[in-house]
């Protein structure tokens, strides 16, 4: 009976550990909670005797993490995509289960490759967890939501490593810190002298990493350039249900034009697809009004709109500038699968035909090598602005493509798709990570929130109330220079993992080599005999 109860309660405990991990992410920002939850999982992985058991443990933890962390996928599918309730629930569960498979894989590999429990906890698990987070960023176009490194942004001392090794490197250190603490507690009951010595080394290493990260947060990796500029981040609060309705389109356009005319800022930023009309079909009088106002205040306006290319028949999710500087365009490159394009349309096209009703679901990708917008005025000089659209700022390795040329990062988004959930707050936390990685301020203009200004250390300096029609007026500063992450991207993180993998796999490789030697596969033979 006790064995049966244990088998039933262990998965539940692991699910709850995963749910607790979400407290490290926005809007909670309780970064110790993620480390504590990892310690719970690591304890069970320490006890696991088979890869299968470790995989089950990791899967249940992953279900808890993603089930409570990205529940808002259901809102976008059902409430705004009109997918039937059961299908939306099933789709959300399947996505969470797929994400949980990465944790299951980490657990299974850690037990398979490391019979030594100490090596398993301290080396194998942190490395494979960080690599799993990295793989999630590109497999099937990528969905790195709730990457563990984000849980330490911006307050944790571990966030100090972000400008050097990026968010996946911070995932590595975060899991390693949890491993140290977990193993310290496990060995606390040990009576032998070696365990006492090990505990001392563990505490010293923990303090070095913790204090070292705090010290790195004091480093100024970049320096201000040019004069500060007045910026206005416009939040229209247009209901997602009516955003693309022809009956309300003109009202939306008039609303945004009036909000622009009420601003005296040199840089005015409107959200993603703020104007529900093709840029080529926007009334020329409205274009003239926007350009005239921008010139009047000595600046520029960035507006999210959909572009249509007559020559190719392609549609692009774009940001277009008007004002003192020549008009410039940024076209979104990293599209949302099942939101902005249909992957394997011949296979999955029926989902849209029968169950989903989402506008702009067949967009084209912009170039991956776009240059920053050069915006400015005779009085203020030029700011090179790296624009990214919606969840593009979840991919740090893509943001740095426009650096170090860019002096300021601008993200335009529309998170109204997720209702009054945690999605918009989580999205802003990812922007905070991009500020840390690049040493740049980030300006976010969104439809319903989170509209905010983030400084070069990842701190939110100003934020508009969610679901309100307002303009957030801020003073923004451009920066020049490169952080180590801007120079190397994920290269340093991957190099660390490669070195660790060679150490991890050495016993297995040696065993394979011995087997091949015994069977003469590695011995050359004289074929003339």
């Amino acid at each position: 009976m006790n064995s049966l109860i244990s088998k039933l309660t262990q998965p539940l405990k692991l699910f709850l550990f995963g749910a607790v991990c979400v407290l490290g992410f926005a809007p909670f920002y309780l970064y110790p909670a993620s480390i504590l939850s990892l310690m719970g999982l690591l304890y069970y992985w320490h006890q696991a005797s088979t890869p299968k058991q470790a995989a089950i443990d990791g899967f249940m933890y992953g279900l808890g993490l993603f089930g409570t962390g990205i529940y808002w996928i259901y809102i976008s599918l059902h409430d705004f995509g009109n997918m039937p309730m059961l299908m939306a629930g099933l789709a959300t569960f399947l996505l969470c289960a797929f994400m949980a498979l990465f944790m299951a894989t980490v657990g299974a590999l850690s037990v398979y490759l490391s019979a030594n429990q100490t090596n398993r906890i301290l080396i194998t698990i942190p490395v494979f967890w960080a690599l799993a987070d990295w793989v999630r960023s590109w497999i099937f176009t990528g969905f790195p939501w709730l990457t563990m490194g984000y849980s330490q942004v911006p307050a944790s001392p571990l966030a100090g490593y972000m400008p050097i090794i990026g968010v996946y490197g911070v995932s590595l250190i975060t899991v390693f810190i949890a491993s140290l603490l977990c193993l310290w507690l496990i060995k606390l009951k040990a009576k032998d002298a070696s365990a006492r010595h090990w505990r001392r080394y563990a505490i010293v290493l923990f303090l070095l990493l913790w204090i070292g990260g705090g010290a790195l947060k004091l480093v100024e990796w970049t320096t201000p350039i040019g004069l500060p500029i007045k910026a206005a981040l416009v939040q229209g609060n247009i209901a997602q249900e009516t955003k693309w309705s022809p009956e309300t389109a003109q009202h939306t356009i008039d609303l945004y034009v009036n909000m622009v005319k009420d601003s005296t800022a040199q840089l005015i930023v409107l959200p993603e697809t703020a104007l529900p009309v093709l840029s080529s079909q926007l009334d020329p009088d409205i274009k003239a009004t926007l350009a005239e106002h921008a010139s009047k205040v000595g600046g520029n306006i960035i507006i999210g709109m959909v572009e249509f290319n007559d020559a190719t028949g392609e549609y692009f999710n774009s940001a277009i500038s008007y004002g003192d500087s020549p008009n410039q365009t940024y076209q979104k490159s990293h599209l949302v699968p099942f939101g902005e394009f249909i992957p394997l349309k011949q296979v999955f096209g029926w989902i849209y035909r029968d169950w989903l009703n989402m506008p702009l679901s067949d967009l084209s990708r912009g170039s991956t090598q776009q240059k920053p917008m050069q915006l400015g005025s005779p009085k203020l000089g030029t700011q090179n602005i790296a624009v990214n659209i919606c969840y593009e700022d979840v991919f740090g390795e893509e943001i740095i493509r426009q650096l170090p040329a860019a002096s300021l990062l601008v993200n335009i988004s529309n998170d109204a798709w997720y209702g009054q959930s945690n999605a918009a707050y989580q999205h802003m936390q990812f922007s905070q990570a991009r500020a840390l990685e690049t040493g740049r301020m980030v300006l976010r203009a969104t439809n319903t929130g989170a509209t905010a200004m983030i400084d070069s250390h990842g701190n939110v300096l100003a934020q508009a109330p969610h679901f309100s029609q307002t303009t957030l007026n801020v003073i923004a500063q451009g920066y020049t220079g490169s952080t180590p992450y801007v120079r190397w991207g994920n290269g340093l993180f991957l190099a660390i993992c490669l070195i660790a993998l060679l150490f991890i796999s050495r016993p297995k490789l040696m065993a394979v080599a011995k087997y091949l030697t015994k069977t003469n596969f590695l011995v050359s033979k004289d074929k003339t005999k």
Side-chain angles (χ1 to χ4, degrees), residues 307 314-318 329-335 363-370 389 392 398 401:
E307 281 188 299
E314 293 177 303
Y315 292 87
F316 296 92
N317 188 349
S318 300
T329 298
Y330 171 82
Q331 296 174 333
K332 187 177 183 182
S333 173
H334 200 131
L335 303 179
L363 296 173
S364 297
R365 293 179 175 86
S367 170
T368 58
Q369 302 300 322
Q370 300 181 65
I389 299 177
E392 282 187 314
E398 298 180 7
R401 290 171 183 165

Side-chain angles (χ1 to χ4, degrees), residues 154-264:
S156 167
L158 302 185
Y161 296 99
M162 198 75 69
I164 302 175
I165 51 179
V167 69
Y168 305 115
V170 175
S171 284
L172 176 66
I173 296 177
T174 301
V175 181
F176 180 74
I177 288 289
S179 299
L180 273 178
L181 295 176
C182 177
L183 212 52
W184 183 85
L185 289 175
I186 290 172
K187 290 183 177 292
L188 190 62
K189 296 180 180 180
K191 303 297 182 181
D192 57 287
S194 62
R196 290 196 296 271
H197 287 307
W198 189 93
R199 292 201 305 273
R200 294 193 191 102
Y201 296 143
I203 291 299
V204 169
L205 186 54
F206 165 76
L207 291 175
L208 285 175
L209 287 171
W210 201 256
I211 295 172
L216 287 171
K217 293 183 75 172
L218 303 177
V219 175
E220 298 292 343
W221 298 101
T222 54
T223 56
I225 183 173
L227 297 173
I229 60 173
K230 292 199 303 182
L233 310 177
V234 181
Q235 181 174 290
N237 193 34
I238 305 299
Q240 190 61 37
E241 301 92 325
T242 61
K243 179 177 175 64
W244 296 103
S245 171
E247 293 78 16
T248 61
Q250 190 58 49
H251 169 75
T252 300
I253 294 171
D254 292 341
L255 170 69
Y256 274 116
V257 170
N258 289 331
M259 293 180 77
V260 166
K261 291 167 67 176
D262 288 339
S263 174
T264 60

Side-chain angles (χ1 to χ4, degrees), residues 40-66:
L41 172 62
L42 289 163
Y43 171 79
Y44 282 107
W45 272 347
H46 180 269
Q47 305 298 325
S49 57
T50 65
K52 178 181 178 181
Q53 182 57 54
I56 294 172
D57 293 344
F59 183 78
M60 292 307 302
Y61 181 92
L63 275 185
L65 171 62
F66 292 105

Side-chain angles (χ1 to χ4, degrees), residues 184 235 268 306 340 426 435 477:
W184 183 85
Q235 181 174 290
I268 303 173
V306 176
E340 293 174 315
Q426 293 169 354
Q477 174 66 60

Side-chain angles (χ1 to χ4, degrees), residues 399-425:
I399 295 299
I400 62 174
R401 290 171 183 165
Q402 299 187 61
L403 296 168
S407 55
L408 192 66
L409 303 183
V410 168
N411 174 264
I412 60 174
S413 294
N414 177 26
D415 287 332
W417 283 103
Y418 310 111
Q420 298 188 24
S421 68
N422 292 337
Y425 297 97

Side-chain angles (χ1 to χ4, degrees), residues 484-501:
Y485 183 78
V486 168
R487 294 192 190 98
W488 305 323
N490 292 324
L492 182 56
F493 155 70
L494 291 173
I496 295 170
C497 290
L498 177 60
I499 293 170
L501 283 175

